[in-house]
Amino acid sequence: MTDAEWAQIRASMPVPAWLEGRGGRPEAFCHREMVDAVRYVVDNGAKWRAIPADYPWWRAVYDFFRRWSRHGYVRELYQRLRRVERVRQGRAAEPSAGIMDAQSVDGSETCPAATRGVDGNKRRDGRKRHILTDTGGLLLEVTVTPANVHDSVAAPELLDAFMAEPGRLLKLVWADTACQGPALADAFAAHGVRAEVVRRPDGTRGFVVLARRWVVERTLGWLSRARRLNRDHERRPDHHTQMVWWAGLITLTRKLTKERLHWPEFRPERLDPRPA
C-alpha cells in the first residue's frame, strides 16, 4: 500500500472507540500495518500463518480481520471511499441505477459442506458471490450463498441489504435473465426499484458484449485479480463476503490515487539503463 493510498484510507476509516473516549483498549499495532497485512493476504492468496515477518504477528492480523468483519468496518470504509470517488467523478454520492450479477467459485477442503453447494450450470462445487454495483462498476452490496442457490432467490436479499440503510436513491437495476419471476418482482417493487433484464440478441453465439451488464462483469474480473478469491478458502460465508470487500478496496484505492503498481514503473532500478 502506497502513501497516497493510506492517506485516502486514513481519512475515511472508522475511528476506534478508545480514541473517542468510549472505552476499550488501545491497539497494539499501527492500523496501516494491519490493513496492509490483510490486503497482502487477500491480494496474494497466502495463508494467515504465511504472512511475512515484516508484518505484525499473523494471529494479531487475523484477530484484526475478524474484528473488522464482526463490526462491518471494511464495508463501511469501502462505502465512504466509494462516495468520495463518485463525487470526484462529478456524480451524486448515491447512485440511482445499478447492475447485479453472480459468480460461482469452487470451494477448497476448508469450505464446509453445510455452506456449499453445486452449481450445475457452471459446474462449480462451492459458493456463489452475488454483487450489486453502480454504473461505474463500484461495489454497492455483496452477499455470499451456496453455489446451488439460484440468482433469483438471492437477489431480494442482496437488494434488501443495500436498501436497508437510509439515504438510498436506487431506482433501476439491470440484471440477467436469471433474475425473473413474480416473487422477485414483488421484492423489487417493495423498495420502489424497477428491474430491467438485459437479454442476449437472438441468434448470437459465443462472446457478446451486453449493454450495461459488461460493467458488472468487469467488476467480477477486477475481483478475480485477488488470488484469495480464485477459490473459496473461508470456513464461514461472512468471511468470504469480507474478502470480497477487501479485494474491492484494493481496486478502489488504486483508482482514487491513480496508481497502478505494474512493473517496471515502480521499480526504476530494473529499467534498462541503455538509451532508447
Side-chain angles (χ1 to χ4, degrees), residues 22-261:
R22 295 187 283 111
R25 186 171 59 184
E27 298 279 357
F29 297 96
C30 172
H31 274 169
R32 178 173 182 174
E33 293 181 346
M34 303 299 275
V35 171
D36 208 11
V38 176
R39 286 163 56 108
Y40 176 88
V41 171
V42 176
D43 196 29
N44 294 275
K47 298 180 180 179
W48 291 105
R49 291 178 180 267
I51 294 177
D54 296 340
Y55 292 113
W57 183 41
W58 74 268
R59 184 70 203 192
V61 177
Y62 179 62
D63 289 342
F64 176 84
F65 168 80
R66 288 200 309 170
R67 185 164 59 253
W68 273 44
S69 299
R70 184 168 60 252
H71 297 288
Y73 285 160
V74 66
R75 177 183 179 275
E76 177 60 26
L77 175 60
Y78 186 96
Q79 297 285 1
R80 294 178 182 180
L81 292 175
R82 186 254 303 167
R83 298 186 189 101
V84 172
E85 172 63 12
R86 286 182 58 88
V87 171
R88 188 181 66 84
Q89 295 176 359
R91 310 167 73 182
E94 287 295 331
S96 59
I99 313 103
M100 64 170 50
D101 203 353
Q103 182 184 45
S104 298
V105 291
D106 287 321
S108 65
E109 68 279 359
T110 57
C111 181
T115 60
R116 66 192 293 169
V118 178
D119 185 347
N121 186 34
K122 300 296 179 64
R123 298 181 181 179
R124 299 288 187 182
D125 179 9
R127 295 194 182 115
K128 183 184 292 186
R129 43 182 175 253
H130 310 264
I131 67 171
L132 175 66
T133 72
D134 65 2
T135 54
L138 301 180
L139 290 175
L140 299 179
E141 194 55 71
V142 179
T143 58
V144 173
T145 65
N148 59 345
V149 175
H150 196 265
D151 294 2
S152 61
V153 176
E157 179 185 354
L158 181 68
L159 186 64
D160 290 343
F162 178 71
M163 299 297 290
E165 297 183 7
R168 302 304 192 192
L169 304 177
L170 196 64
K171 297 298 181 184
L172 173 63
V173 171
W174 288 283
D176 61 6
T177 53
C179 295
Q180 300 185 76
L184 183 61
D186 293 341
F188 275 76
H191 295 288
V193 177
R194 180 169 60 90
E196 183 174 318
V197 176
V198 180
R199 305 177 184 273
R200 289 173 58 92
D202 295 335
T204 58
R205 299 181 62 184
F207 174 76
V208 179
V209 177
L210 301 180
R212 299 295 182 181
R213 277 196 55 206
W214 69 268
V215 175
V216 70
E217 296 288 355
R218 182 185 60 178
T219 301
L220 291 172
W222 289 343
L223 295 175
S224 297
R225 294 177 182 174
R227 294 185 178 181
R228 187 79 180 197
L229 297 183
N230 288 343
R231 287 177 65 88
D232 189 357
H233 301 280
E234 313 308 321
R235 298 183 185 276
R236 296 169 45 175
D238 60 323
H239 281 187
H240 184 103
T241 302
Q242 299 305 311
M243 287 293 180
V244 176
W245 285 114
W246 279 104
L249 184 65
I250 296 174
T251 301
L252 180 55
T253 54
R254 291 177 181 175
K255 181 185 292 289
L256 280 166
T257 56
K258 299 184 181 298
E259 292 182 348
R260 300 180 63 192
L261 303 183

